[in-house]
Amino acid sequence: MTTIPQVPELPDTQALQRLDAAHFLHPFTDHQALAEKGVRVMVRGDGIYLWDSEGRKVLDAMSGLWCVNVGYGRTSITQAVARQMDTLPFYNSFFNTTTIPAVQLAAKLARIAPPGFKHVFYTGSGSEANDTNVRMVRRYWDLQGQPDRTVIISRHNAYHGSTMAGASLGGMSGMHVQGGLPIPGIVHINQPSYADHGAGMTPEEFGVHAAGWLEERIKELGPDKVAAFIGEPVQGAGGVIIPPPGYWPEIRRICDKYDILLIADEVITGFGRLGKWFASELFDIRPDLITFAKGVTSGYVPLGGVLVGERVADVIVAGGDFNHGFTYSGHPVACAAALENIRILEEEKLVEQVAHDTAPYLKARFASLAAHPLVGMAESCGFVAGLNLVRRKAANVHYQVRFDPSLGVGMICRGHMFNNGVIMRAVGDRMIIAPPLVMTRAQIDEMIALIRLCLDRTLEDLERRGWMS
């Protein structure tokens, strides 16, 4: 890992905070509350660490936003970007043209993708890629002589982006109440959360039961109206919801039975995060379309897209014009960044390292947090993990006493994390991580120690407030 030199002079934090409050509208943010508190200004990164404008070092256990897979400070990526900008900073992929990095990356993606994926449609983000999925599956069925097959089924608490179609595909009520969402033709079923819905069943029984919700909805809507089902292999922003055994094979069986297209949203899980290049292979999903973004460039430059399986690609290619695309589809600079990022993943064998070494070690170390008085359960899959904060523990997860959601215990815990040198995300009262894939065993130990310290601080805080009784 190349070390970035220390910033010689720290910026004026308060001046930057004032400018930010005056001009910068942040994603998913209460801006009045942020202005009162003051934004935290990140100024540099190296490996798994960040430094803010006050000189404080923090361990980034969220890989930025699930994306910095190869870690910060990779000068070979920035050099690849600079070379491409010096050579050809931009040209579009309209008007029967292409660029060398876009072609090379498409071929590379076809090589590392699961079997049956030979084509890619480029976008600028995962949100745009999921909008593309809506257009593509409806075009597919139209070309197949079934124009009424337009409905796409998703899951409650799923996250598929924040554009109009992406946010509609997602199943987050807080997003749907703003903007009249979801748009027509998108419906939802329950998520496969064993803790929330699996009482009285084994995880294996629940996996098949939860998949059955898809079949029920298909029958309710009519198979001749349903175009596709979309799901994240592991639901990320919803709280690292790891599917129970048997769930995805049963979903695939149901899609085959009713001839429904299956979309795997791998914006988070792609490019090694779960110890496979794509989680579709880990769970035997066998999708028709795969959404990707984030880890394809490790977040260094925005890039997203859809890997299109042969079933869909053959029809789209034979069908004439597909009237969809973006100015930045196949941006040569983004594709150059992705090519170098994938080279690093391959040459350093980071996917294999996660699968056979660091993910099993993380699983064992993270599971040890379940002994903490605040933790009801702690689970992981590859390099994503989550733990539940509970008021009263029980051996059976379904008998644990949770906190009143209005107390915001997860956000209290997140504050202690940030203030003590580790970034851990709160989804309600579930605390989640997705560390950079370069994290070593020693750094896993460091992260777990920091998390345990912050759980202790949170417990002390809650006891002072009288919330643990």
Side-chain angles (χ1 to χ4, degrees):
M1 186 71 63
T2 302
T3 301
I4 300 176
Q6 291 283 341
V7 177
E9 186 173 327
L10 292 173
D12 184 335
T13 299
Q14 291 185 346
L16 287 167
Q17 288 174 333
R18 289 192 295 271
L19 283 173
D20 186 277
H23 304 292
F24 191 175
L25 293 177
H26 291 252
F28 292 88
T29 296
D30 180 333
H31 291 92
Q32 291 182 339
L34 180 62
E36 292 175 7
K37 179 181 178 182
V39 70
R40 188 169 191 175
V41 182
M42 296 301 187
V43 297
R44 71 181 186 93
D46 184 32
I48 68 167
Y49 303 102
L50 295 162
W51 284 262
D52 68 15
S53 57
E54 299 292 300
R56 292 173 296 197
K57 179 181 178 181
V58 59
L59 188 154
D60 183 7
M62 278 305 303
S63 299
L65 201 59
W66 316 86
C67 55
V68 189
N69 288 8
V70 300
Y72 299 95
R74 293 287 191 163
T75 54
S76 66
I77 298 180
T78 60
Q79 289 166 356
V81 166
R83 284 193 301 271
Q84 184 59 45
M85 293 190 79
D86 286 341
T87 304
L88 180 66
F90 172 74
Y91 199 70
N92 66 76
S93 55
F94 291 62
F95 316 130
N96 303 315
T97 62
T98 193
T99 63
I100 292 172
V103 173
Q104 291 177 333
L105 179 59
K108 173 70 75 172
L109 291 171
R111 186 175 67 78
I112 65 176
F117 287 87
K118 302 300 181 186
H119 292 81
V120 58
F121 191 100
Y122 290 118
T123 67
S125 67
S127 295
E128 290 178 358
N130 280 324
D131 280 37
T132 298
N133 283 326
V134 174
R135 296 287 308 280
M136 192 171 289
V137 300
R138 289 176 174 174
R139 173 64 173 161
Y140 169 85
W141 287 116
D142 188 37
L143 290 168
Q144 292 289 81
Q146 300 183 61
D148 291 336
R149 294 188 76 154
T150 59
V151 177
I152 300 175
I153 302 173
S154 182
R155 300 180 296 196
H156 296 301
N157 201 38
Y159 186 83
H160 297 295
S162 61
T163 52
M164 288 294 286
S168 296
L169 290 170
M172 295 189 167
S173 58
M175 298 177 72
H176 288 177
V177 297
Q178 298 179 2
L181 302 179
I183 60 176
I186 295 173
V187 299
H188 300 83
I189 60 174
N190 271 337
Q191 62 179 345
S193 171
Y194 180 66
D196 291 330
H197 305 294
M201 291 177 272
T202 66
E204 292 79 9
E205 290 169 340
F206 176 66
V208 175
H209 175 77
W213 294 329
L214 174 61
E215 185 164 23
E216 291 172 6
R217 184 54 62 91
I218 292 171
K219 290 179 177 179
E220 174 188 314
L221 295 165
D224 59 334
K225 298 293 190 295
V226 180
F229 172 74
I230 185 171
E232 305 155 83
V234 171
Q235 285 172 247
V240 181
I241 307 302
I242 301 169
Y247 177 78
W248 276 114
E250 182 66 5
I251 289 288
R252 178 71 265 180
R253 186 195 68 78
I254 293 166
C255 288
D256 288 342
K257 179 179 178 179
Y258 295 98
D259 197 25
I260 306 298
L261 293 176
L262 178 53
I263 307 166
D265 185 338
E266 298 232 31
V267 169
I268 285 173
T269 57
F271 301 95
R273 174 126 326 257
L274 302 190
K276 295 282 189 181
W277 278 99
F278 293 92
S280 293
E281 298 173 287
L282 181 66
F283 294 113
D284 191 28
I285 298 174
R286 291 178 286 126
D288 299 292
L289 299 158
I290 294 176
T291 315
F292 70 88
K294 294 187 185 293
V296 67
T297 65
S298 283
Y300 279 50
V301 180
L303 179 65
V306 180
L307 295 173
V308 186
E310 292 174 1
R311 173 187 177 182
V312 176
D314 289 349
V315 171
I316 295 296
V317 169
D321 286 357
F322 178 44
N323 297 319
H324 177 71
F326 306 94
T327 299
Y328 300 122
S329 294
H331 195 295
V333 173
C335 291
L339 284 164
E340 177 57 20
N341 176 67
I342 293 171
R343 184 198 68 78
I344 292 170
L345 288 166
E346 288 184 316
E347 291 197 3
E348 296 185 10
K349 299 187 181 303
L350 290 176
V351 181
E352 295 84 354
Q353 176 179 299
V354 168
H356 304 300
D357 181 20
T358 49
Y361 188 73
L362 173 63
K363 186 178 186 69
R365 297 291 289 116
F366 197 82
S368 71
L369 295 170
H372 193 277
L374 262 183
V375 177
M377 61 183 293
E379 56 184 343
S380 70
C381 180
F383 254 41
V384 297
L387 59 83
N388 291 352
L389 302 177
V390 298
R391 188 163 65 88
R392 190 173 304 122
K393 294 162 68 85
N396 187 321
V397 66
H398 301 111
Y399 295 113
Q400 294 174 348
V401 179
R402 302 184 182 186
F403 291 99
D404 184 329
S406 67
L407 298 177
V409 169
M411 295 301 289
I412 292 170
C413 185
R414 190 188 76 164
H416 286 290
M417 296 286 175
F418 239 67
N419 292 334
N420 288 279
V422 61
I423 296 174
M424 196 174 190
R425 185 170 174 177
V427 180
D429 290 344
R430 187 164 168 86
M431 306 301 297
I432 61 176
I433 59 169
L437 307 190
V438 295
M439 180 175 271
T440 64
R441 286 186 172 216
Q443 290 170 333
I444 290 172
D445 289 339
E446 177 189 358
M447 178 181 67
I448 296 298
L450 284 168
I451 292 172
R452 185 172 283 110
L453 167 67
C454 296
L455 288 171
D456 289 342
R457 298 279 171 85
T458 302
L459 178 59
E460 294 166 2
D461 192 344
L462 299 180
E463 287 176 336
R464 280 195 300 269
R465 298 172 189 238
W467 291 356
M468 293 301 296
S469 57

